[in-house]
Amino acid sequence: MLLFALFELAERQWHTYLPLSEKIRQQLDVLVLNIWSKTSLTSTEALIGVIARLGLSEAYTKLRLTDPGQLSPEVSTEIASAIVEFGDTVDDPYSGLK
């Protein structure tokens, strides 16, 4: 539930067009990975959405390095799609608007 609430807050924050402070981003990097359910596609989609909207580069790096053997095929596919979509721009949530 907390991850889904964070997704809603991240969506609102993204629409302010103001990036979060580095300190808050660092704290969220740790939090989102601690509450992510690696076996849930819905949780993974919410995690990816939060990472994308808030530019959580450390969480993204750790997500990319997650052992695929710990994940379901659907979750692995979702992460692979996010990696292709984000490339190296995940730290700037507004890169697609420039």
Side-chain angles (χ1 to χ4, degrees), residues 3 7 32-33 36 42-52 59 63:
L3 191 53
F7 176 80
V32 296
L33 290 174
W36 170 44
T42 306
S43 178
T44 303
E45 291 170 336
L47 172 67
I48 291 169
V50 170
I51 288 171
L63 179 68

Side-chain angles (χ1 to χ4, degrees), residues 1-12 32 35-37 40-50:
M1 295 274 297
L2 181 56
L3 191 53
F4 302 109
L6 278 172
F7 176 80
E8 290 298 322
L9 290 171
E11 180 75 12
R12 291 177 187 178
V32 296
I35 61 176
W36 170 44
S37 172
S40 167
L41 179 60
T42 306
S43 178
T44 303
E45 291 170 336
L47 172 67
I48 291 169
V50 170

